[in-house]
Amino acid sequence: MSFAYEVKAEVCKTSLVRQCCAIAEAYGVLLYANSFSGSEVRIVTENDEFAARLPKLFQKAFSVRFDVLPEKTSQGKLTFRITDADKLAAIFSALGYDQKAHFALHVNFAIVEEECCRTAFLRGAFLAGGSVTDPQKRYHLELATSHLQAAKEVEALLCDMGYTPKNVIRQSNSITYFKQSEHIEDLLTLIGAPACATEIMAAKVEKEMRNTINRRVNCDAANLDKAVSASREQVEAFTRLTESGAINDLPVKLQEVAVARLLQPELTLSELAETFDPPLTKSCLNHRIRKLMELAKES
């Protein structure tokens, strides 16, 4: 079962209570359905929960039944159709459209004036034309419709609600999409899928933790490489001082540091500082090593 299927299944648990919200949700379904014209309504879905919700939704919204329902034993794509002229007339009338007019469908904003109806409209649009990617892979939610003018107005509606969707035309369909995880979480919570929105939040936290750990591991590895390289250079320099006999002319404190490093090349600077009695500060040890390195270059 895909993540998009789970989201739609959760959204479909939202009760159909108010008729105005049922009309708004059905309106969203129709604008993002496979076909919505004066001669036909055709809705195709692979989601069983959405398929079970559709007859109840259209009965609540328009008091109409579908002319064609999927077979009870059918699997895969489930198709719902209305071609009866009286039923189509009832739907167009409820939505404020002139069924005989031939023009691009606009959003009737009177239907989505109330906040609850606006939410229901977006719920219907997502159920019919929406998809969302598994958050373990990436963050992407989109709404697809062939009604280009309506898509622009839905995009404007979303912007007015505080979202920042983007738009692209794909195969004659207008795609309104989101890639910001926060907006996807908010939209899913709004339309009735808070549990799935929480999954996105959890996936994001997991990714951030994994990235933080990887950064720390990489940083530690880089620091270790630097320490190993520095220790190697120090051992080589102090070996030259020892072999040339120049180390015998150095102050005792510098001789002690050179010997300590030669005997314990694997220790970090902090660890090496702790081996002295009394222990040296890291700053003090670093200062003495730099002095020894300068002397080694001169010798």
Side-chain angles (χ1 to χ4, degrees):
M1 185 183 297
S2 69
F3 182 70
Y5 190 102
E6 292 179 11
V7 173
K8 291 186 178 182
E10 185 181 3
V11 168
C12 285
K13 293 178 182 178
T14 306
S15 300
L16 296 169
V17 180
R18 302 176 63 182
Q19 186 183 24
C20 64
C21 291
I23 291 174
E25 182 177 329
Y27 188 23
V29 168
L30 289 167
L31 286 180
Y32 284 81
N34 298 78
S35 177
F36 176 38
S37 66
S39 60
E40 179 192 45
V41 165
R42 179 164 45 89
I43 305 165
V44 180
T45 181
E46 295 182 359
N47 191 289
D48 295 328
E49 282 72 12
F50 180 38
R53 184 180 182 84
L54 272 172
K56 302 173 188 175
L57 176 63
F58 273 62
Q59 182 64 37
K60 180 78 173 180
F62 310 119
S63 297
V64 300
R65 298 178 183 274
F66 286 96
D67 297 328
V68 175
L69 292 169
E71 296 291 335
K72 291 184 178 180
T73 57
S74 63
Q75 295 180 345
K77 293 185 178 181
L78 308 172
T79 302
F80 297 78
R81 293 184 67 198
I82 296 176
T83 54
D84 181 86
D86 292 336
K87 294 178 181 179
L88 291 171
I91 293 172
F92 271 75
S93 175
L95 299 179
Y97 288 140
D98 181 355
Q99 187 178 0
K100 297 180 181 179
H102 297 282
F103 53 83
L105 292 179
H106 289 260
V107 173
N108 182 351
F109 285 98
I111 294 177
V112 295
E113 187 173 359
E114 297 296 327
E115 185 176 343
C116 59
C117 295
R118 195 178 305 135
T119 298
F121 172 79
L122 293 174
R123 181 184 305 121
F126 179 78
L127 286 171
S131 64
V132 59
T133 304
D134 186 338
Q136 294 291 347
K137 298 177 181 177
R138 60 192 178 106
Y139 307 122
H140 183 89
L141 182 149
E142 67 179 40
L143 303 171
T145 177
S146 60
H147 301 292
L148 306 186
Q149 184 58 43
K152 292 179 182 178
E153 293 166 348
V154 171
E155 185 177 345
L157 176 66
L158 288 165
C159 289
D160 188 56
M161 295 171 67
Y163 297 96
T164 54
K166 294 184 179 180
N167 185 276
V168 67
I169 301 299
R170 184 195 305 151
Q171 296 179 347
S172 300
N173 284 332
S174 180
I175 312 296
T176 301
Y177 66 95
F178 301 84
K179 288 189 177 295
Q180 310 97 317
S181 60
E182 295 83 0
H183 285 187
I184 296 174
E185 293 161 11
D186 291 344
L187 185 59
L188 292 187
T189 300
L190 177 71
I191 65 176
C196 289
T198 301
E199 284 189 43
I200 296 177
M201 297 177 198
K204 183 166 61 176
V205 169
E206 183 180 339
K207 286 180 183 178
E208 289 175 352
M209 289 180 62
R210 190 182 300 119
N211 290 338
T212 298
I213 291 171
N214 287 338
R215 282 195 298 270
R216 288 179 178 174
V217 168
N218 292 337
C219 182
D220 290 344
N223 288 337
L224 181 59
D225 288 342
K226 289 180 182 178
V228 169
S229 178
S231 177
R232 185 184 302 114
E233 291 178 6
Q234 292 161 16
V235 169
E236 291 174 356
F238 302 165
T239 299
R240 290 199 303 272
L241 285 173
T242 302
E243 291 176 347
S244 67
I247 196 169
N248 298 323
D249 299 326
L250 301 180
V252 174
K253 291 182 178 180
L254 293 183
Q255 291 184 32
E256 290 176 346
V257 169
V259 172
R261 171 51 84 196
L262 289 170
L263 292 176
Q264 302 167 105
E266 76 284 356
L267 298 186
T268 64
L269 207 59
S270 298
E271 293 169 340
L272 188 63
E274 290 293 326
T275 64
F276 290 87
D277 186 18
L280 300 177
T281 65
K282 184 178 177 181
S283 175
C284 177
L285 178 59
N286 193 38
H287 174 74
R288 294 182 185 180
I289 287 177
R290 283 203 305 270
K291 182 64 175 176
L292 284 165
M293 296 296 287
E294 291 173 2
L295 293 170
K297 289 180 181 178
E298 297 171 0
S299 62

PDB file of all heavy atoms in Angstrom, residues 77-99:
ATOM      1  N   LYS A  77      -8.545  -0.187 -11.345  1.00  0.00           N
ATOM      2  CA  LYS A  77      -9.236   1.085 -11.551  1.00  0.00           C
ATOM      3  C   LYS A  77     -10.744   0.909 -11.394  1.00  0.00           C
ATOM      4  O   LYS A  77     -11.346   0.020 -12.000  1.00  0.00           O
ATOM      5  CB  LYS A  77      -8.900   1.643 -12.921  1.00  0.00           C
ATOM      6  CG  LYS A  77      -7.437   2.066 -13.054  1.00  0.00           C
ATOM      7  CD  LYS A  77      -7.160   2.723 -14.385  1.00  0.00           C
ATOM      8  CE  LYS A  77      -5.703   3.186 -14.461  1.00  0.00           C
ATOM      9  NZ  LYS A  77      -5.394   3.858 -15.742  1.00  0.00           N
ATOM     10  N   LEU A  78     -11.336   1.776 -10.584  1.00  0.00           N
ATOM     11  CA  LEU A  78     -12.771   1.751 -10.312  1.00  0.00           C
ATOM     12  C   LEU A  78     -13.396   2.986 -10.946  1.00  0.00           C
ATOM     13  O   LEU A  78     -12.984   4.112 -10.671  1.00  0.00           O
ATOM     14  CB  LEU A  78     -13.021   1.740  -8.803  1.00  0.00           C
ATOM     15  CG  LEU A  78     -12.259   0.661  -8.011  1.00  0.00           C
ATOM     16  CD1 LEU A  78     -12.427   0.855  -6.520  1.00  0.00           C
ATOM     17  CD2 LEU A  78     -12.757  -0.719  -8.428  1.00  0.00           C
ATOM     18  N   THR A  79     -14.398   2.784 -11.807  1.00  0.00           N
ATOM     19  CA  THR A  79     -14.969   3.882 -12.581  1.00  0.00           C
ATOM     20  C   THR A  79     -16.410   4.180 -12.168  1.00  0.00           C
ATOM     21  O   THR A  79     -17.236   3.268 -12.059  1.00  0.00           O
ATOM     22  CB  THR A  79     -14.941   3.555 -14.087  1.00  0.00           C
ATOM     23  OG1 THR A  79     -13.584   3.314 -14.484  1.00  0.00           O
ATOM     24  CG2 THR A  79     -15.497   4.707 -14.912  1.00  0.00           C
ATOM     25  N   PHE A  80     -16.693   5.482 -11.953  1.00  0.00           N
ATOM     26  CA  PHE A  80     -18.031   5.973 -11.640  1.00  0.00           C
ATOM     27  C   PHE A  80     -18.441   6.935 -12.752  1.00  0.00           C
ATOM     28  O   PHE A  80     -17.655   7.790 -13.160  1.00  0.00           O
ATOM     29  CB  PHE A  80     -18.048   6.719 -10.303  1.00  0.00           C
ATOM     30  CG  PHE A  80     -17.700   5.875  -9.105  1.00  0.00           C
ATOM     31  CD1 PHE A  80     -16.372   5.548  -8.823  1.00  0.00           C
ATOM     32  CD2 PHE A  80     -18.690   5.391  -8.267  1.00  0.00           C
ATOM     33  CE1 PHE A  80     -16.054   4.778  -7.726  1.00  0.00           C
ATOM     34  CE2 PHE A  80     -18.374   4.616  -7.165  1.00  0.00           C
ATOM     35  CZ  PHE A  80     -17.058   4.309  -6.884  1.00  0.00           C
ATOM     36  N   ARG A  81     -19.704   6.818 -13.233  1.00  0.00           N
ATOM     37  CA  ARG A  81     -20.145   7.687 -14.317  1.00  0.00           C
ATOM     38  C   ARG A  81     -21.563   8.185 -14.084  1.00  0.00           C
ATOM     39  O   ARG A  81     -22.399   7.487 -13.499  1.00  0.00           O
ATOM     40  CB  ARG A  81     -20.101   6.955 -15.664  1.00  0.00           C
ATOM     41  CG  ARG A  81     -18.711   6.585 -16.152  1.00  0.00           C
ATOM     42  CD  ARG A  81     -18.782   5.964 -17.529  1.00  0.00           C
ATOM     43  NE  ARG A  81     -19.199   6.922 -18.534  1.00  0.00           N
ATOM     44  CZ  ARG A  81     -19.680   6.577 -19.742  1.00  0.00           C
ATOM     45  NH1 ARG A  81     -19.824   5.303 -20.066  1.00  0.00           N
ATOM     46  NH2 ARG A  81     -20.014   7.512 -20.607  1.00  0.00           N
ATOM     47  N   ILE A  82     -21.792   9.396 -14.554  1.00  0.00           N
ATOM     48  CA  ILE A  82     -23.133   9.959 -14.628  1.00  0.00           C
ATOM     49  C   ILE A  82     -23.289  10.554 -16.022  1.00  0.00           C
ATOM     50  O   ILE A  82     -22.495  11.408 -16.424  1.00  0.00           O
ATOM     51  CB  ILE A  82     -23.367  11.062 -13.576  1.00  0.00           C
ATOM     52  CG1 ILE A  82     -23.269  10.487 -12.157  1.00  0.00           C
ATOM     53  CG2 ILE A  82     -24.736  11.720 -13.777  1.00  0.00           C
ATOM     54  CD1 ILE A  82     -23.386  11.554 -11.070  1.00  0.00           C
ATOM     55  N   THR A  83     -24.322  10.087 -16.742  1.00  0.00           N
ATOM     56  CA  THR A  83     -24.617  10.639 -18.069  1.00  0.00           C
ATOM     57  C   THR A  83     -26.077  11.078 -18.173  1.00  0.00           C
ATOM     58  O   THR A  83     -26.457  11.717 -19.153  1.00  0.00           O
ATOM     59  CB  THR A  83     -24.323   9.604 -19.171  1.00  0.00           C
ATOM     60  OG1 THR A  83     -25.025   8.385 -18.885  1.00  0.00           O
ATOM     61  CG2 THR A  83     -22.827   9.308 -19.255  1.00  0.00           C
ATOM     62  N   ASP A  84     -26.875  10.743 -17.174  1.00  0.00           N
ATOM     63  CA  ASP A  84     -28.289  11.130 -17.176  1.00  0.00           C
ATOM     64  C   ASP A  84     -28.411  12.652 -17.174  1.00  0.00           C
ATOM     65  O   ASP A  84     -27.824  13.340 -16.339  1.00  0.00           O
ATOM     66  CB  ASP A  84     -28.980  10.538 -15.943  1.00  0.00           C
ATOM     67  CG  ASP A  84     -30.447  10.877 -15.899  1.00  0.00           C
ATOM     68  OD1 ASP A  84     -31.259  10.163 -16.503  1.00  0.00           O
ATOM     69  OD2 ASP A  84     -30.791  11.911 -15.256  1.00  0.00           O
ATOM     70  N   ALA A  85     -29.200  13.176 -18.112  1.00  0.00           N
ATOM     71  CA  ALA A  85     -29.311  14.626 -18.292  1.00  0.00           C
ATOM     72  C   ALA A  85     -29.865  15.325 -17.053  1.00  0.00           C
ATOM     73  O   ALA A  85     -29.403  16.412 -16.681  1.00  0.00           O
ATOM     74  CB  ALA A  85     -30.195  14.930 -19.502  1.00  0.00           C
ATOM     75  N   ASP A  86     -30.865  14.731 -16.416  1.00  0.00           N
ATOM     76  CA  ASP A  86     -31.464  15.360 -15.235  1.00  0.00           C
ATOM     77  C   ASP A  86     -30.479  15.413 -14.067  1.00  0.00           C
ATOM     78  O   ASP A  86     -30.418  16.411 -13.329  1.00  0.00           O
ATOM     79  CB  ASP A  86     -32.725  14.599 -14.811  1.00  0.00           C
ATOM     80  CG  ASP A  86     -33.854  14.744 -15.828  1.00  0.00           C
ATOM     81  OD1 ASP A  86     -33.847  15.747 -16.573  1.00  0.00           O
ATOM     82  OD2 ASP A  86     -34.728  13.856 -15.865  1.00  0.00           O
ATOM     83  N   LYS A  87     -29.715  14.360 -13.902  1.00  0.00           N
ATOM     84  CA  LYS A  87     -28.723  14.322 -12.817  1.00  0.00           C
ATOM     85  C   LYS A  87     -27.621  15.362 -13.066  1.00  0.00           C
ATOM     86  O   LYS A  87     -27.198  16.073 -12.155  1.00  0.00           O
ATOM     87  CB  LYS A  87     -28.116  12.928 -12.688  1.00  0.00           C
ATOM     88  CG  LYS A  87     -29.108  11.871 -12.234  1.00  0.00           C
ATOM     89  CD  LYS A  87     -28.442  10.495 -12.172  1.00  0.00           C
ATOM     90  CE  LYS A  87     -29.424   9.423 -11.750  1.00  0.00           C
ATOM     91  NZ  LYS A  87     -28.807   8.079 -11.700  1.00  0.00           N
ATOM     92  N   LEU A  88     -27.173  15.433 -14.313  1.00  0.00           N
ATOM     93  CA  LEU A  88     -26.142  16.423 -14.652  1.00  0.00           C
ATOM     94  C   LEU A  88     -26.670  17.836 -14.449  1.00  0.00           C
ATOM     95  O   LEU A  88     -25.947  18.717 -13.969  1.00  0.00           O
ATOM     96  CB  LEU A  88     -25.683  16.222 -16.093  1.00  0.00           C
ATOM     97  CG  LEU A  88     -24.871  14.943 -16.371  1.00  0.00           C
ATOM     98  CD1 LEU A  88     -24.671  14.749 -17.865  1.00  0.00           C
ATOM     99  CD2 LEU A  88     -23.513  15.000 -15.670  1.00  0.00           C
ATOM    100  N   ALA A  89     -27.931  18.050 -14.796  1.00  0.00           N
ATOM    101  CA  ALA A  89     -28.537  19.372 -14.619  1.00  0.00           C
ATOM    102  C   ALA A  89     -28.584  19.744 -13.138  1.00  0.00           C
ATOM    103  O   ALA A  89     -28.330  20.902 -12.759  1.00  0.00           O
ATOM    104  CB  ALA A  89     -29.942  19.388 -15.216  1.00  0.00           C
ATOM    105  N   ALA A  90     -28.903  18.765 -12.291  1.00  0.00           N
ATOM    106  CA  ALA A  90     -28.956  19.020 -10.845  1.00  0.00           C
ATOM    107  C   ALA A  90     -27.575  19.397 -10.311  1.00  0.00           C
ATOM    108  O   ALA A  90     -27.441  20.300  -9.470  1.00  0.00           O
ATOM    109  CB  ALA A  90     -29.490  17.780 -10.129  1.00  0.00           C
ATOM    110  N   ILE A  91     -26.543  18.718 -10.807  1.00  0.00           N
ATOM    111  CA  ILE A  91     -25.167  18.998 -10.363  1.00  0.00           C
ATOM    112  C   ILE A  91     -24.737  20.387 -10.812  1.00  0.00           C
ATOM    113  O   ILE A  91     -24.226  21.189 -10.017  1.00  0.00           O
ATOM    114  CB  ILE A  91     -24.196  17.929 -10.903  1.00  0.00           C
ATOM    115  CG1 ILE A  91     -24.484  16.578 -10.250  1.00  0.00           C
ATOM    116  CG2 ILE A  91     -22.740  18.345 -10.664  1.00  0.00           C
ATOM    117  CD1 ILE A  91     -23.720  15.418 -10.850  1.00  0.00           C
ATOM    118  N   PHE A  92     -24.955  20.704 -12.084  1.00  0.00           N
ATOM    119  CA  PHE A  92     -24.557  22.011 -12.612  1.00  0.00           C
ATOM    120  C   PHE A  92     -25.304  23.136 -11.912  1.00  0.00           C
ATOM    121  O   PHE A  92     -24.730  24.193 -11.623  1.00  0.00           O
ATOM    122  CB  PHE A  92     -24.783  22.058 -14.125  1.00  0.00           C
ATOM    123  CG  PHE A  92     -23.610  21.578 -14.920  1.00  0.00           C
ATOM    124  CD1 PHE A  92     -23.310  20.233 -15.015  1.00  0.00           C
ATOM    125  CD2 PHE A  92     -22.779  22.483 -15.570  1.00  0.00           C
ATOM    126  CE1 PHE A  92     -22.227  19.786 -15.740  1.00  0.00           C
ATOM    127  CE2 PHE A  92     -21.676  22.054 -16.298  1.00  0.00           C
ATOM    128  CZ  PHE A  92     -21.392  20.692 -16.384  1.00  0.00           C
ATOM    129  N   SER A  93     -26.561  22.901 -11.629  1.00  0.00           N
ATOM    130  CA  SER A  93     -27.358  23.926 -10.947  1.00  0.00           C
ATOM    131  C   SER A  93     -26.839  24.170  -9.540  1.00  0.00           C
ATOM    132  O   SER A  93     -26.715  25.320  -9.089  1.00  0.00           O
ATOM    133  CB  SER A  93     -28.825  23.491 -10.901  1.00  0.00           C
ATOM    134  OG  SER A  93     -29.600  24.411 -10.154  1.00  0.00           O
ATOM    135  N   ALA A  94     -26.506  23.095  -8.819  1.00  0.00           N
ATOM    136  CA  ALA A  94     -26.004  23.221  -7.446  1.00  0.00           C
ATOM    137  C   ALA A  94     -24.676  23.961  -7.405  1.00  0.00           C
ATOM    138  O   ALA A  94     -24.367  24.651  -6.423  1.00  0.00           O
ATOM    139  CB  ALA A  94     -25.863  21.840  -6.815  1.00  0.00           C
ATOM    140  N   LEU A  95     -23.893  23.841  -8.486  1.00  0.00           N
ATOM    141  CA  LEU A  95     -22.576  24.471  -8.529  1.00  0.00           C
ATOM    142  C   LEU A  95     -22.611  25.868  -9.155  1.00  0.00           C
ATOM    143  O   LEU A  95     -21.582  26.536  -9.248  1.00  0.00           O
ATOM    144  CB  LEU A  95     -21.587  23.587  -9.289  1.00  0.00           C
ATOM    145  CG  LEU A  95     -21.347  22.189  -8.693  1.00  0.00           C
ATOM    146  CD1 LEU A  95     -20.365  21.406  -9.551  1.00  0.00           C
ATOM    147  CD2 LEU A  95     -20.844  22.286  -7.263  1.00  0.00           C
ATOM    148  N   GLY A  96     -23.795  26.294  -9.613  1.00  0.00           N
ATOM    149  CA  GLY A  96     -23.926  27.643 -10.168  1.00  0.00           C
ATOM    150  C   GLY A  96     -23.430  27.765 -11.587  1.00  0.00           C
ATOM    151  O   GLY A  96     -23.064  28.867 -12.028  1.00  0.00           O
ATOM    152  N   TYR A  97     -23.433  26.649 -12.347  1.00  0.00           N
ATOM    153  CA  TYR A  97     -22.974  26.664 -13.738  1.00  0.00           C
ATOM    154  C   TYR A  97     -24.164  26.598 -14.691  1.00  0.00           C
ATOM    155  O   TYR A  97     -25.210  26.011 -14.373  1.00  0.00           O
ATOM    156  CB  TYR A  97     -22.075  25.462 -14.035  1.00  0.00           C
ATOM    157  CG  TYR A  97     -20.706  25.506 -13.414  1.00  0.00           C
ATOM    158  CD1 TYR A  97     -20.131  24.359 -12.866  1.00  0.00           C
ATOM    159  CD2 TYR A  97     -19.956  26.677 -13.384  1.00  0.00           C
ATOM    160  CE1 TYR A  97     -18.861  24.376 -12.302  1.00  0.00           C
ATOM    161  CE2 TYR A  97     -18.690  26.710 -12.825  1.00  0.00           C
ATOM    162  CZ  TYR A  97     -18.155  25.560 -12.283  1.00  0.00           C
ATOM    163  OH  TYR A  97     -16.898  25.582 -11.737  1.00  0.00           O
ATOM    164  N   ASP A  98     -23.970  27.168 -15.872  1.00  0.00           N
ATOM    165  CA  ASP A  98     -24.934  27.028 -16.955  1.00  0.00           C
ATOM    166  C   ASP A  98     -24.498  25.823 -17.782  1.00  0.00           C
ATOM    167  O   ASP A  98     -23.469  25.859 -18.456  1.00  0.00           O
ATOM    168  CB  ASP A  98     -24.949  28.292 -17.816  1.00  0.00           C
ATOM    169  CG  ASP A  98     -25.961  28.198 -18.954  1.00  0.00           C
ATOM    170  OD1 ASP A  98     -26.581  27.123 -19.120  1.00  0.00           O
ATOM    171  OD2 ASP A  98     -26.112  29.189 -19.689  1.00  0.00           O
ATOM    172  N   GLN A  99     -25.278  24.764 -17.719  1.00  0.00           N
ATOM    173  CA  GLN A  99     -24.891  23.513 -18.358  1.00  0.00           C
ATOM    174  C   GLN A  99     -24.740  23.645 -19.874  1.00  0.00           C
ATOM    175  O   GLN A  99     -23.946  22.937 -20.491  1.00  0.00           O
ATOM    176  CB  GLN A  99     -25.933  22.430 -18.040  1.00  0.00           C
ATOM    177  CG  GLN A  99     -25.548  21.035 -18.511  1.00  0.00           C
ATOM    178  CD  GLN A  99     -26.601  20.010 -18.131  1.00  0.00           C
ATOM    179  OE1 GLN A  99     -27.614  20.356 -17.517  1.00  0.00           O
ATOM    180  NE2 GLN A  99     -26.390  18.756 -18.492  1.00  0.00           N
TER     181      GLN A  99
END
